[in-house]
């Protein structure tokens, strides 16, 4: 039998459409996940005293158990700022703080601490910054996933 070219043309179309569909699906899932994720950046204070507070957990979303928490403090323009003290508090949604720990400043300018999440569900992490005579707070909602 002779290949007429119709089959090979159809296969070429499939070879193009299947990867495109897969990329589109992955993009859609990523977009949906990002749309549900809470903001992990906030500006606290006002005027010249305003600070941009960014928060990360590793992994993200955090899982039950001990999780590293990192806060970066910067001016509105993004210049890292060294402050007098940075405290990280965390607790389950609707409840008081489970713990408060002092974050340690790292050589890269970030402040790091560890949080221990004991249950799956909605929690919060609060960054308290002591900067001269000012005290500024930024609270971030987080969802703690099962550690599987």
């Amino acid at each position: 039998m002779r290949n007429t070219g119709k089959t090979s043309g159809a296969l070429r179309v499939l070879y193009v459409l299947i990867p495109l569909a897969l990329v589109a699906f992955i993009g859609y899932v990523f977009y949906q996940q990002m749309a549900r994720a809470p903001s992990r950046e906030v500006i606290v204070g006002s005027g010249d005293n305003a600070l941009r507070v960014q928060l990360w957990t590793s992994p993200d979303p955090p899982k039950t158990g001990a999780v590293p928490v990192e806060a970066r403090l910067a001016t509105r323009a993004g210049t890292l700022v060294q402050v007098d003290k940075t405290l990280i508090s965390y607790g389950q949604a609707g409840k008081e703080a489970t713990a408060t720990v002092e974050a340690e400043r790292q050589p890269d300018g970030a402040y790091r601490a560890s949080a221990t999440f004991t249950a799956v569900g909605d929690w919060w992490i609060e960054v308290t910054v002591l900067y001269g005579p000012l005290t500024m707070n930024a609270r971030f909602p987080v969802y703690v996933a099962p550690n599987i």
Side-chain angles (χ1 to χ4, degrees), residues 2-27:
R2 206 162 141 209
N3 187 350
T4 62
K6 290 183 183 179
T7 304
S8 109
L11 282 175
R12 285 186 195 147
V13 170
L14 284 176
Y15 287 143
V16 171
L17 288 180
I18 290 174
L20 285 176
L22 183 60
V23 168
F25 176 73
I26 291 170

Side-chain angles (χ1 to χ4, degrees), residues 14-144:
L14 284 176
Y15 287 143
V16 171
L17 288 180
I18 290 174
L20 285 176
L22 183 60
V23 168
F25 176 73
I26 291 170
Y28 175 75
V29 169
F30 179 75
Y31 174 77
Q32 291 298 315
Q33 190 68 17
M34 292 304 291
R36 284 192 301 247
S39 172
R40 298 280 180 88
E41 180 176 324
V42 68
I43 304 242
V44 295
S46 61
D48 293 338
N49 295 321
L51 287 179
R52 178 185 314 264
V53 180
Q54 297 174 314
L55 182 80
W56 286 276
T57 61
S58 180
D60 191 9
K63 297 188 182 310
T64 55
V67 173
V69 176
E70 179 178 302
R72 287 192 181 268
L73 311 172
T75 63
R76 284 184 189 261
T79 305
L80 291 178
V81 175
Q82 185 168 351
V83 298
D84 300 326
K85 187 183 274 191
T86 301
L87 302 172
I88 306 279
S89 303
Y90 58 94
Q92 287 182 295
K95 295 184 180 178
E96 295 293 319
T98 299
T100 299
V101 293
E102 185 171 348
E104 294 182 21
R105 187 168 182 0
Q106 304 299 306
D108 65 359
Y111 291 85
R112 291 196 183 102
S114 181
T116 302
F117 299 107
T118 56
V120 172
D122 293 323
W123 288 67
W124 52 265
I125 298 174
E126 185 171 84
V127 179
T128 301
V129 178
L130 303 167
Y131 189 47
L134 303 172
T135 299
M136 295 178 258
N137 298 307
R139 185 175 279 203
F140 303 90
V142 294
Y143 176 78
V144 175

